[in-house]
Amino acid sequence: MEPLIPEENKALSDLATDLVAKSNALAGRLHPVIQQGIGDLVRSMNCYYSNLIEGHHTHPVDIDRALAGDYSAEPEKRNLQLEARAHIDVQRKIDLELAPSPSTSKEFVLWVHKEFCQQLPPELLIVKDPKSGKEENVVPGELRQIHVKVGHHIAPAPEDLAPLLERFASAYGNEKLPKIQRIIGVAASHHRLLWIHPFADGNGRVARLFSHAFLKELGIGSSLWSVSRGLARAVDKYKAALQAADEPRRGDLDGRGNLTQAGLVEFCTFFLTSCVDQVAFMESLFEPAELQRRMEIWCEEEMRADRLPKGSWPLLREALLAGEFSRGKAPELTGYQERQARTVLNSLIEKGFLVSPTSRSTVRLGFPLAVVDRWFPRLYTGPAVAA
């Protein structure tokens, strides 16, 4: 599987440096309290796009319902909802630092697969050989015991998986490498993990969750942006770049490893460019003045249509700017008497536009699916959030 990290490459270093700068800028866009709510939204989005890469179109409304425990009576749709909920649960645990560390370790890779697959229904844990028709059960968290071919790539034999993952861990977990090289290593490791293909099924999801965790570990990734969105929006290029990096060395000028270095550089360029684009996209959505403008226009329309009570906007604006506020501040913000101000506040909480865990807790901004397309346009593509 050599080379594991491309030789020194200025273009890749520039991309990695740009990713560091943009991710730092993104982190400063929003109040930390609001970032927690955004994290829930982005995890659902990440799941939606990861599903698309797998060829599973799970509507955001169905994902939202699954998180509330409301599952479809249709077996196929219900299975996709369970799959989505499992993905979100694993990413949430990663974001809360409840996973094994480092992310490059064999233990982490096995943990992701186990945590994800053990939440799936039995019918989603069966793989069928396309030629023989023979079925094999996928065991959560266990390396595959069968030989597989993915496209043109003949994956390593089962007995080679453990030593390959150990080599993977030692190369990408090397903390002595300069940070820029480690960031380039995130891109390279994404391909190499898929090249190893450690599991009978679920490798794509594991690789994307792994990349999210690795980026987060390096202080680049966060719950505010999604690797999967970028990959899904150019899924044909993503799959073509993966396949190109699977190829053997192309000649004496193509590195010193068994696999093509040129192909790996091309994949790393695609992957890091996707990351930079996604961070820049999310940064544009979170630009404070523009976000406030979009929310205010939406709120005025809702009040004119009598779907929101008058006095709603000062409360929403305060939650956006301050992160949270005490319930007792509602009269001051709205200019209403206490009883009327409390009615407006409770209405916003009931609709999910404001969130408060208890009747005495502080209030923060909520992000129900109904407003995503207005507050964060193009977060989902196409008719994703249509009812």
Side-chain angles (χ1 to χ4, degrees):
M1 124 178 118
E2 303 286 342
L4 289 162
I5 297 178
E7 295 173 3
E8 189 170 334
N9 182 295
K10 185 179 185 302
L12 286 179
S13 295
D14 288 347
L15 274 172
T17 302
D18 196 18
L19 181 56
V20 172
K22 282 187 166 52
S23 66
N24 288 341
L26 176 62
R29 282 293 194 195
L30 296 171
H31 191 285
V33 172
I34 294 179
Q35 290 186 25
Q36 295 175 23
I38 292 287
D40 293 335
L41 175 63
V42 172
R43 276 189 285 273
S44 291
M45 179 193 75
N46 199 25
C47 162
Y48 167 79
Y49 283 109
S50 196
N51 279 0
L52 281 185
I53 293 170
E54 299 296 324
H56 301 167
H57 190 290
T58 314
H59 200 287
V61 169
D62 291 324
I63 295 174
D64 208 42
R65 288 171 179 162
L67 293 174
D70 179 10
Y71 296 102
S72 173
E74 299 175 33
E76 186 175 348
K77 184 179 283 189
R78 177 186 174 85
N79 285 346
L80 291 178
Q81 285 182 296
L82 289 167
E83 185 180 58
R85 183 165 182 163
H87 187 286
I88 292 168
D89 179 63
V90 177
Q91 187 177 332
R92 181 183 59 81
K93 288 176 179 175
I94 291 170
D95 290 341
L96 293 175
E97 299 181 357
L98 300 176
S101 63
S103 57
T104 48
S105 66
K106 176 184 171 184
E107 290 72 23
F108 176 85
V109 173
L110 296 178
W111 175 87
V112 171
H113 189 262
K114 183 177 181 179
E115 288 288 319
F116 175 68
C117 290
Q118 68 185 2
Q119 300 185 54
L120 302 182
E123 52 267 40
L124 293 185
L125 294 175
I126 298 173
V127 290
K128 181 183 287 188
D129 188 307
K131 290 185 177 180
S132 68
K134 183 181 178 183
E135 292 185 345
E136 295 280 348
N137 290 323
V138 178
V139 182
E142 290 194 14
L143 300 176
R144 61 178 163 84
Q145 299 298 315
I146 58 174
H147 292 266
V148 295
K149 182 180 179 183
V150 186
H152 299 295
H153 172 52
I154 299 174
E159 60 268 23
D160 294 331
L161 298 177
L164 283 169
L165 286 173
E166 293 298 337
R167 175 71 184 112
F168 178 94
S170 66
Y172 297 117
N174 183 1
E175 295 182 359
K176 294 181 181 179
L177 287 174
K179 185 172 182 178
I180 293 300
Q181 279 295 93
R182 296 203 74 194
I183 293 170
I184 294 170
V186 175
S189 63
H190 184 90
H191 173 269
R192 292 314 195 234
L193 186 56
L194 287 170
W195 183 90
I196 294 171
H197 203 83
F199 307 106
D201 196 22
N203 294 280
R205 291 183 182 282
V206 170
R208 290 187 289 277
L209 286 165
F210 157 76
S211 294
H212 171 76
F214 196 0
L215 284 163
K216 194 169 185 297
E217 203 170 87
L218 294 177
I220 304 300
S222 74
S223 58
L224 296 179
W225 65 279
S226 162
V227 175
S228 292
R229 184 180 185 274
L231 302 181
R233 285 172 60 82
V235 67
D236 291 339
K237 289 183 180 179
Y238 172 48
K239 292 179 177 179
L242 284 171
Q243 186 172 318
D246 288 340
E247 295 175 4
R249 184 181 180 205
R250 300 170 186 171
D252 291 343
L253 299 179
D254 191 18
R256 294 187 292 272
N258 181 56
L259 300 177
T260 168
Q261 174 160 271
L264 182 60
V265 168
E266 289 166 12
F267 178 78
C268 290
T269 301
F270 167 79
F271 187 93
L272 292 174
T273 299
S274 296
C275 289
V276 169
D277 288 348
Q278 290 311 301
V279 175
F281 168 71
M282 296 304 284
E283 186 183 4
S284 71
L285 284 188
F286 298 152
E287 201 285 317
E290 280 300 305
L291 175 56
Q292 181 174 325
R293 183 185 66 83
R294 291 193 299 269
M295 289 177 61
E296 185 173 9
I297 291 172
W298 167 85
C299 189
E300 288 174 352
E301 291 175 1
E302 294 297 296
M303 288 189 295
R304 281 199 299 270
D306 290 327
R307 290 189 291 264
L308 283 182
K310 298 293 188 291
S312 292
W313 174 238
L315 299 179
L316 292 171
R317 182 179 58 203
E318 181 69 8
L320 174 65
L321 299 178
E324 59 186 350
F325 62 89
S326 67
R327 289 167 173 262
K329 201 174 180 182
E332 174 191 339
L333 291 168
T334 59
Y336 295 159
Q337 295 296 316
E338 184 177 341
R339 185 174 179 179
Q340 187 180 1
R342 189 166 59 245
T343 299
V344 176
L345 179 66
N346 288 337
S347 175
L348 292 172
I349 291 173
E350 287 170 11
K351 295 176 184 295
F353 304 128
L354 291 176
V355 177
S356 183
T358 72
S359 60
R360 295 186 178 183
S361 302
T362 55
V363 179
R364 63 176 174 82
L365 206 57
F367 302 96
L369 193 60
V371 298
V372 167
D373 212 29
R374 294 294 304 275
W375 293 7
F376 305 108
R378 296 182 296 119
L379 196 63
Y380 292 97
T381 55
V385 294

